[in-house]
Amino acid sequence: MVAFCQPTMLEPVFVRSLWQGRAMSTPFEQAAARVGAGSDHHVEAAQLVAQMTLDERLGCLDGDTPFWPGLFDMTAGGYYRHPWPAARVERLGIPGINFADGPRGCVVGDATAFPVSMARGASFDVQLEERIGDAIGAELRASGATYTGALCMNLLRHPAWGRAQETYGEDPHHVGMMASAFTRGLQHHVMACMKHFALNSMENARFTVDVTVDERALHEVYLPHFERVAAEGVASVMSAYNSVNGEWCGQNRHLLTDILRDEWGWDGFVTSDFIFGLRDPAKSVAAGLDIEMPFRQQRALALDEAIETGELAQSDVDRSVERIVATLLRFATVFEQQPSPDVVGCAEHRALARTVASASTVLLRNEGPLLPLDASSIDRIAVLGRLAAVRNLGDGGSSDVRSSHVVTPLDGLRSRFGFDRVVHADDDVAIAAGADVVVVVVGYTKADEGECIEAPGADELGRTIFPPIDHPALGRSVRWTPPPDPVRPPAASTDNTSNRMAPGGDRLSLRLCATDEALIAAAAAVNDNVIVVVVGGSAVVMPWASSVRAVLMTWYSGVEGGTALANVLAGEVEPTGRLPFAVPTDAAHLVDFDRDATEVTYDLFHGQWKLDRDGHAAHFPFGWGLGWGDVEVVGAVVSDSTTVVVSVRNPTERPLSAVVFVHAGVERSAWERPPRRLVCFERADVEPGSTVHVEIEIDWSMLDVRVDGDWITESGDYVLDIGRYAGDPAAVTLTVQR
């Protein structure tokens, strides 16, 4: 479906220029130079593998850190102090990988916490997301990492998913476009890993659940975005913990070999998810998983014997090692370049975080309009809510960023409007009476949603797969020194949490807690000018929304979130975010979600598609968001078979920004399918009183049907709805014969 390309950073001329004039001291460097001059990276890798001993080859198939010392280090905060090495062969100069995470910023040291991925998905700004990837990639590389799991891109099947904040939204085209941009930015500096492959969209049951999915749902809904990023030249894939159609993802040959490599032609290496990612170490190698992460663990105990008994062929081992080394050769420039440590948490990256926080803010309601505020006429702003004055950056698990300086909503408002004009209380509504405006900050924290560190089944699984604690090479008595901190140590906590990961997990409800909803009602009862600011990682059901003047979704907005919020409320910047999912009026209108399920079926419908099919109007549809005025889609034409040119007019007297969405469907289709699917989108900035013409490439592949291993393009009338959000009644409609 998607044409493949190699990353631009690896063009031979560029690689060759880096190696020219250097003394090639190791076999790896010599091979990298030849690859830079045009030699095939797989041929060169095979020659390096042929020089390895069996022990060296097997050593490439798991982490370089002994299990128990590594586990103790990680759980004591080492995850946030240094990268995690694997596949290093010092004798041949093979550098291996140094892993550090980073969906919202480098997890090592005092790095920049950007808004979470879901927030950035709400920007619908592909160019901005590439800049974010470049910044996070630079901070990762400066911190000693050469490889990152920053690219979390599982589809948001249900908003209660604890790690919803780590992905971009519910639509595969949108997720694929944003993730591809992030990949391009990251891979200027580090090798990127897309995760979790595949169908990992629930958290508490991630170690135990089996997902049943048919061919159409798998390929039309849950894999298109992964295929797009594979085509972008991503270096690596991380398998998921869960099982798919009865086989664990870490040993699922259909996913890891038949689809990923044989069908898509992807070129890279596969790693396991951390610690609990394998069930059968020998079977996982044969299925196509290359590196067990992050420790020497199950494979270190089992693979020697598996080769001796014939359970595992050495050719399977050699194939995996060759793929690892070939990828390292393809990305050899990563090891030659390392930014200064000064880039970590630098002022330029904080400014970028502030920009994207504003671009991600979604104005859901603005009666009057109340916003933007006229700062000159404001004497007193009352700020309510337990989340107004605390750092609240999101998940406390593998994506946590320990930034030392965070601008809270209260900080931002006091800095912008004046300390003497902004009063605050967690829940004393008396301060709202007589205030010019009331800002109520509500929502979630890492205690409510996030990676489930202590997921059900983990203890039992650990007893099954962990090495003996007294093992001579992997046990706790092994003398092992963690790598030195490459940059500053983790920031001192200002939210009363230790270096340990937060419990996280899937949400129990899509509603705010009763205390938050009561606070909103109490504020609205004493003041007519209430602005509700919702913090969280995905959809919130809001039956109270019509009782207040304004509602904003600000997500987990990063280190500059408070400043961005204040700038939006004051009208200095426009809130240009749009919802990357649909918000229902009732959670019952979405797919069923049981966070303790052991079995679940994923079908063709979820989110906006399910609402459309079932005839339920969304409270806020996919793509919804207000600005400082309404642009108008006044015309559209399909200029050729793959491009639509959309005319967008700004009838107001101030500059406006909009996102143009093109949804499409097949009239009288012979196949069950969503009535409309997103096939392209584009941002448009429009000056006052002017019209711009936005050219967008249509991704028709989103409407192909997968049957018996083939893709079918159905003949007939394809209807395009071109508007400001899904179901926009003012959308321009075009019909294209295909």
Side-chain angles (χ1 to χ4, degrees), residues 173 636 644 646 659-664 676-682 696-698 700 719-725 732:
H173 174 74
V644 60
V646 184
V659 180
V660 177
F661 295 98
V662 182
H663 289 82
R676 295 288 186 270
R677 285 187 63 152
L678 185 68
V679 293
C680 56
F681 63 90
E682 187 62 72
I696 321 174
E697 184 176 351
I698 303 169
W700 290 115
V719 178
L720 304 179
D721 292 335
I722 303 144
R724 299 162 298 170
Y725 51 87
V732 171

Side-chain angles (χ1 to χ4, degrees), residues 425-447:
D426 282 355
D427 54 10
D428 184 3
V429 181
I431 69 170
D436 296 298
V437 66
V438 182
V439 178
V440 185
V441 183
V442 294
Y444 306 103
T445 72
K446 61 189 178 184

